[in-house]
Amino acid sequence: MKKVLLSLVVLMSTSFVFHSNAQTHKDDNFEFFDTVINNHNQLFQMSCIPSAIEMILKYYKVVDFDFYGLQIKWQNKADGSFRDFDNKELYGITFTQKFVLPRDSSFPVDSLFQTIENELKSGKKAIISLPADGGWHMFVICKQTPDGDFVSYSKLGSHTLILRNTKEIVKKSNGTEIMTYRTPPGM
């Protein structure tokens, strides 16, 4: 009886150790990005551009989760665009505006998608402008699905927005602009 009881204790202990190790060794970058998104807010109705940039800065841990300096400076700037951050270095990360082209049938959608795929394959994200409620809203593309589409995240106040059909939206819009970024070596 003692052997059976000891075996049962050892089996339960081993199961507990494996289960707790599986839960504590999660350091996946996507899960951290999810944490960034869940702890971030868009402060002003028109501050989606600096909000998206702040999410990237928080992802790279160059600012704290309570950093909202870009949005506070921007507030409800109605005439802002990616141009305001083009070739700007913020906390060691340099942002670049791309695909500033007319949104029409000649827009190089395949080239845009390839650029985004290349960014994701290199471990980075991309910021994209997508139509929303008669205007445009900024999203951070964080991953590609097995079927090839992009998953994009944004905030509207404290509400998290998730799009899983980014390519379809871009095609219907006849293209869009994106922002990519460079990080210093070792970041």
Side-chain angles (χ1 to χ4, degrees), residues 135-163:
W136 295 83
H137 192 75
M138 304 317 127
F139 289 78
V140 178
I141 299 174
C142 65
K143 70 178 184 173
Q144 192 165 18
T145 64
D147 69 352
D149 212 327
F150 302 124
V151 179
S152 303
Y153 285 77
S154 190
K155 297 298 281 200
L156 195 53
S158 62
H159 182 74
T160 301
L161 307 172
I162 305 170
L163 299 176

Side-chain angles (χ1 to χ4, degrees), residues 47-171:
S47 66
C48 58
I49 295 172
S51 175
I53 290 175
E54 286 172 351
M55 285 188 271
I56 298 296
L57 298 174
K58 290 175 182 184
Y59 173 71
Y60 281 96
K61 301 177 183 176
V62 296
V63 298
D64 294 326
F65 274 13
D66 62 354
F67 175 78
Y68 291 98
L70 300 177
Q71 288 188 74
I72 290 169
K73 183 177 179 184
W74 186 281
Q75 299 215 1
N76 276 314
K77 180 177 178 174
D79 62 344
S81 72
F82 283 158
R83 170 180 56 252
D84 292 292
F85 292 97
D86 187 33
N87 293 314
K88 290 228 173 139
E89 182 183 318
L90 300 167
Y91 302 91
I93 299 173
T94 304
F95 293 87
T96 305
Q97 179 184 25
K98 293 188 175 186
F99 294 93
V100 186
L101 302 166
R103 293 175 178 138
D104 59 26
S105 60
S106 66
F107 189 92
V109 172
D110 291 336
S111 179
L112 171 74
F113 292 158
Q114 188 61 56
T115 300
I116 295 168
E117 282 184 35
N118 292 343
E119 293 299 301
L120 294 173
K121 286 178 185 174
S122 73
K124 294 188 267 178
K125 316 288 182 218
I127 299 172
I128 190 166
S129 178
L130 296 173
D133 296 331
W136 295 83
H137 192 75
M138 304 317 127
F139 289 78
V140 178
I141 299 174
C142 65
K143 70 178 184 173
Q144 192 165 18
T145 64
D147 69 352
D149 212 327
F150 302 124
V151 179
S152 303
Y153 285 77
S154 190
K155 297 298 281 200
L156 195 53
S158 62
H159 182 74
T160 301
L161 307 172
I162 305 170
L163 299 176
R164 291 179 174 84
N165 63 335
T166 305
K167 285 185 174 182
E168 175 187 345
I169 294 168
V170 170
K171 287 176 185 176

